[in-house]
Structures are given as structure tokens and as C-alpha cells.
Amino acid sequence: MLLVDACRRLALAGRVTIPLARRPVLFALLLELARAWPAAVTRDDLAARAFAVRRVNASHRARLRVELGRLRKLMDGLAAAPVASEDGYVLASERDVAVLLPPTDDEAARLGLLLGDGAAWSARALAEHAGVSRRTAQRALQLLVERGVVVRTGKGKDVRYTRPGAPIASRMLLLGLVPGG
């Protein structure tokens, strides 16, 4: 199965993982193709969504071809690739395609979801993985800290954000420090 994870902005197939957090246009193209799979997406619709434009012109169409070539090259190990069709482009995959979407489009909810793994994250890393600017991530994290959902530790460049509670206990269980019940 090919999984397009919109929460962490990556593509997974078997043991192959392709991170796309730093490639927002490529991820947007893959997400649109995966959402429509197995149907095709018209060229103009794909360009409008990937480049966030209302009117698509020849420049956008040319850029679309270039970006789809980059995506095709990047997805080489996944046994899936964007292919031109009569209607536009389709995601040709030997595997079934599934899309994992975040529960909401709210920045705070996306950051909270990423923090659910129990790891300590920097604001920069969270911003990259959530697909938001660093300042937007900082505002959302401040809101989560004020609500008591997230704990802020450290100073300056060493500031990290974590979820309080359960992850520490689960780590202790994994390490064998607490007997499992």
C-alpha cells in the first residue's frame, strides 16, 4: 500500500519513506493525485491547487510539467508515479493508495497531533513537518502552552515542546522501568 501522510508530509510504501516536508509543491501535487486516485486530475485543477492560483496560464502549465518530473524522479522507489493521461494526470501505482489527513486544518491541532508521539520538538521542526511558517508554529505553540496541552522546556535555541503525561509513562514501559500490568 502507498500511504500519503498529510500529517507528517511524507509518502510511505513498504520500507521506503520519502519525506516531503521541505518540498511543499511536490507534496501538494502528490496529495491531489492521491486524493483523486485512481481517477485523473485535470492539468489546470492540479496547477491551481499546487501553486495556489486562481487563473492558470502557460507559465503554470510549464512549471507543472517540471514539478511532476521532479516528483516522478523522487518517487522512483515507491512503484508509483504521476503519469499523463487524456484528462490530465493520474497517479499510476502498483499498490493501493491511501491518504492520511489531519483531523482539522487548524495549525494548533496539526502541531498537537505531531506532538502526540511523545518526542521533544523544536518550533522549527514542527513548522517544517506541519507545513506552516515558523512564526505561525510559534503562535500556535504558545496557545497550546497557555491551554496546558503542551509543555515548553529550555531557553533560546534549546526550547523544546512536548505533551505532558502519558508518553513518559509509555517510554518507561518500553524501557522496562515499570512492570507492565
Side-chain angles (χ1 to χ4, degrees):
M1 173 173 283
L2 170 64
L3 175 68
V4 178
D5 186 348
C7 300
R8 295 181 292 165
R9 296 186 182 262
L10 50 88
L12 301 159
R15 295 183 180 176
V16 179
T17 302
I18 298 177
L20 294 167
R22 294 184 180 184
R23 310 285 297 269
V25 172
L26 296 182
F27 180 75
L29 290 170
L30 178 59
L31 183 61
E32 290 303 322
L33 290 169
R35 281 179 150 176
W37 185 84
V41 181
T42 65
R43 288 168 177 78
D44 285 352
D45 286 345
L46 195 56
R49 292 180 192 145
F51 306 134
V53 295
R54 291 184 186 170
R55 295 183 186 162
V56 178
N57 60 27
S59 174
H60 295 117
R61 289 184 195 95
R63 184 176 173 206
L64 179 66
R65 286 190 297 274
V66 170
E67 297 294 345
L68 283 168
R70 289 179 179 153
L71 182 61
R72 194 174 295 117
K73 185 176 179 183
L74 195 65
M75 294 183 65
D76 195 27
L78 293 180
V83 177
S85 68
E86 288 182 19
D87 302 336
Y89 288 95
V90 64
L91 184 61
S93 176
E94 296 173 7
R95 308 168 185 231
D96 287 337
V97 178
V99 179
L100 180 63
L101 296 171
T104 66
D105 284 339
D106 178 48
E107 286 85 10
R110 277 193 272 171
L111 296 177
L113 184 67
L114 287 170
L115 286 165
D117 67 354
W121 289 75
S122 67
R124 180 181 180 186
L126 283 167
E128 285 178 5
H129 282 81
V132 297
S133 70
R134 192 180 306 171
R135 183 64 189 127
T136 300
Q138 289 170 343
R139 279 194 295 269
L141 286 166
Q142 183 61 35
L143 180 67
L144 290 171
V145 168
E146 289 171 2
R147 290 182 186 164
V149 176
V150 173
V151 175
R152 180 179 186 220
T153 57
K155 291 184 179 181
K157 290 186 177 185
D158 294 328
V159 171
R160 297 290 181 262
Y161 298 90
T162 58
R163 283 258 173 126
I168 294 171
S170 65
R171 282 192 215 138
M172 291 173 70
L173 282 170
L174 287 172
L175 295 171
L177 300 175
V178 176

